[in-house]
Amino acid sequence: MLNINFTKKKFYKLLLSINKLIESFFSNIDDYLKDYKKKNSKYKKLNSRVFLGLGALFILTLIYFLMPSFYDEKSLKFKLENQIIKKYNLKVNFNGEVSYALFPKPHFFIDDLSISQNNKVLIN
């Protein structure tokens, strides 16, 4: 009987020591994670700001490239004709489409155009 109690005590001591080792291991991991979070909390704010800035830049660039799709071709032709008549006193006939190009700088491109003055065709 004495021998059984002695082995039970050893077994309980062994279990307690293993339990303490496991608890200390996980508490060390918990402390490490808390320190890591404290050190990197300022980087999370910076990362979110960078992400928001890049997202805004992407959206603005997308809007810039999609802006020509919102132009009404008829009103654009009318405005261009009026501006050329007022500035240069030349009549412009748009025979082709008006397209928009972005590179090397944003500009309008017209495939087929005739410029006349006093009912004489100057450029075709």
Side-chain angles (χ1 to χ4, degrees):
M1 182 86 174
L2 183 63
N3 195 9
I4 293 174
N5 284 338
F6 183 69
T7 56
K8 281 184 181 180
K9 286 182 182 180
K10 278 188 172 183
F11 182 71
Y12 288 137
K13 283 184 183 182
L14 181 66
L15 282 179
L16 286 175
S17 66
I18 291 173
N19 192 19
K20 286 181 184 180
L21 284 173
I22 293 172
E23 285 179 8
S24 67
F25 174 76
F26 285 112
S27 67
N28 286 339
I29 289 177
D30 189 41
D31 292 340
Y32 176 74
L33 290 176
K34 285 179 184 176
D35 289 341
Y36 182 76
K37 286 179 183 178
K38 285 180 185 177
K39 289 179 183 177
N40 292 328
S41 64
K42 60 184 171 185
Y43 295 119
K44 285 184 182 180
K45 291 178 186 176
L46 179 66
N47 287 340
S48 65
R49 288 180 186 165
V50 168
F51 179 72
L52 288 175
L54 289 176
L57 182 67
F58 176 75
I59 289 171
L60 289 174
T61 305
L62 190 65
I63 289 171
Y64 175 74
F65 284 120
L66 290 176
M67 195 172 296
S69 64
F70 298 115
Y71 286 132
D72 182 27
E73 190 173 334
K74 291 179 182 179
S75 66
L76 181 65
K77 285 181 180 180
F78 182 73
K79 287 179 184 178
L80 285 174
E81 285 178 3
N82 286 340
Q83 287 179 0
I84 292 172
I85 288 172
K86 286 180 184 176
K87 192 169 187 179
Y88 301 110
N89 197 18
L90 297 171
K91 182 162 174 42
V92 178
N93 293 328
F94 296 103
N95 301 328
E97 289 185 359
V98 176
S99 59
Y100 184 76
L102 293 171
F103 296 108
K105 62 181 181 178
H107 61 280
F108 292 103
F109 182 75
I110 302 159
D111 289 328
D112 192 14
L113 176 75
S114 62
I115 299 174
S116 59
Q117 185 177 27
N118 298 331
N119 294 329
K120 293 181 184 178
V121 177
L122 300 174
I123 298 172
N124 204 2

